[in-house]
Amino acid sequence: MAKILIIEDEMKIARFLELELRHEGYDVLICTDGRKGLETALNEDVDLIILDIMLPGLNGIEVCRRIRQESQVPIIMLTAKDDVSDKVAGLDTGADDYMTKPFAIEELLARIRVALNRKRNQKEPKNDILQIGDLKINMASRSVFYKDDELTLTKKEYELLEYMVRNKNIVLSREQLLNQVWDYEYFGDTNVVDVYIRYLRQKIDEKYGIHLISTVRGVGYIIKD
Ligand code: CA
C-alpha cells in the first residue's frame, strides 16, 4: 500500500484529502507546516508527497528544493491560485506535477496514480536481483543462490526458474512456460516443461528440503511468495 504525505496548512483541505486518499486505500500522513513536512519527507519512507506552496515555517518551493537534494520521491504541488510563477518555480525545483486549487479530487487521484506508476517503472530496470525466501537470482550475472550456496543450473533451467520467479504467485500453464522459455524449439511438446520442472525440483526443493515449486493439477505450475 502506497504511503502519501500531505503537507498543507489548511486543515479543511488536508482532512478532505486524507479522507479521499484513505478511501482509495492509501496510507496517509499529514503535516501542517513546512519544516515538519520536510523533516517527515526525509525521515519517513513515503511514496508520494502532496505539497502546498503557501506554508508557514518554510514555503513549499523551499521544501521541494530541499527534498530533491536527497530524494526522487514524486511530488505533486498545490498552488492556491492560478499563479504561473508558482507553477514554474515548483517545476523548476523538481516537482513532478502541480494542481491549482480548487481542484477536482478525481483529477488529483488520477495524477497520483500516474506518478506512482512512473515511480514503480523507474525502479524495475535498476533492480536486477529477484528474491524469493532464501533464494536469490542475480539477473545480471545469471547466477542463483540459496542462502550462500551457489546453484549450478543449465541455461534452460535458469531461464525457466527466472521466468517463474518473475511471475511468482501466478499459475503458469505448461503451454505458457513452453512459449516463454523455449520459443518454438519444442512447439507443442509440453513434456519438456515437466522434465525441466523435475530438474529444478531436484536441484532446489529436494536438495534444500524446501517447497518452492507447486503443481496446480490440470493447469500448470506456480512459485508462491
Ligand atoms: Ca497554504
Side-chain angles (χ1 to χ4, degrees):
M1 188 192 309
K3 194 193 282 182
I4 298 180
L5 169 63
I6 301 169
I7 309 177
E8 164 65 90
D9 60 317
E10 284 163 78
M11 274 316 283
K12 247 175 82 179
I13 294 179
R15 291 288 307 165
F16 166 71
L17 283 176
E18 182 186 20
L19 282 174
E20 292 287 341
L21 292 175
R22 282 196 193 283
H23 183 72
E24 295 294 311
Y26 298 113
D27 265 346
V28 181
L29 297 172
I30 295 181
C31 290
T32 53
D33 80 87
R35 272 180 209 290
K36 189 83 186 70
L38 175 64
E39 195 189 307
T40 306
L42 296 180
N43 294 317
E44 295 277 335
D45 188 21
V46 299
D47 297 293
L48 183 139
I49 298 171
I50 297 173
L51 176 61
D52 187 32
I53 288 191
M54 295 292 287
L55 287 169
L58 204 61
N59 74 49
I61 303 285
E62 189 57 23
V63 172
C64 183
R65 198 180 64 75
R66 295 202 199 175
I67 291 172
R68 275 291 170 263
Q69 289 171 353
E70 295 193 29
S71 156
Q72 287 305 310
V73 62
I75 299 175
I76 299 177
M77 289 232 164
L78 301 179
T79 61
K81 53 187 182 308
D82 199 357
D83 187 330
V84 175
S85 63
D86 274 356
K87 280 181 195 171
V88 171
L91 294 173
D92 275 352
T93 50
D96 297 83
D97 207 346
Y98 61 83
M99 294 224 57
T100 306
K101 291 191 236 176
F103 50 81
I105 187 66
E106 290 306 330
E107 189 182 347
L108 179 62
L109 292 173
R111 290 185 188 209
I112 288 171
R113 284 192 292 271
V114 168
L116 288 173
N117 274 334
R118 199 186 298 135
K119 180 180 179 237
R120 242 169 254 136
N121 293 338
Q122 278 167 354
K123 262 186 174 173
E124 271 172 16
K126 284 182 202 152
N127 188 4
D128 51 12
I129 304 283
L130 293 174
Q131 183 150 18
I132 191 146
D134 288 322
L135 193 80
K136 210 181 276 180
I137 300 177
N138 184 327
M139 291 186 285
S141 61
R142 294 169 70 94
S143 51
V144 182
F145 289 83
Y146 182 78
K147 291 184 179 165
D148 289 328
D149 207 9
E150 184 169 4
L151 278 64
T152 313
L153 300 181
T154 63
K155 182 169 175 287
K156 279 298 167 209
E157 288 167 355
Y158 172 84
E159 287 168 2
L160 176 61
L161 179 66
E162 187 200 298
Y163 182 77
M164 291 187 76
V165 172
R166 245 186 221 280
N167 294 284
K168 64 185 179 185
N169 301 321
I170 301 170
V171 180
L172 301 164
S173 70
R174 289 176 175 81
E175 288 75 19
Q176 205 173 343
L177 291 169
L178 188 68
N179 290 338
Q180 293 297 327
V181 181
W182 277 271
D183 303 318
Y184 298 101
E185 298 163 47
Y186 287 86
F187 187 74
D189 181 11
T190 56
N191 286 335
V192 69
V193 175
D194 299 324
V195 169
Y196 274 82
I197 290 283
R198 200 152 63 233
Y199 291 156
L200 284 179
R201 281 180 167 155
Q202 283 165 1
K203 290 186 174 181
I204 303 171
D205 295 46
E206 287 170 28
K207 183 168 180 197
Y208 299 105
I210 58 172
H211 187 70
L212 181 72
I213 303 171
S214 303
T215 304
V216 181
R217 285 187 65 179
V219 188
Y221 300 99
I222 184 171
I223 288 182
K224 288 186 199 156
D225 232 340

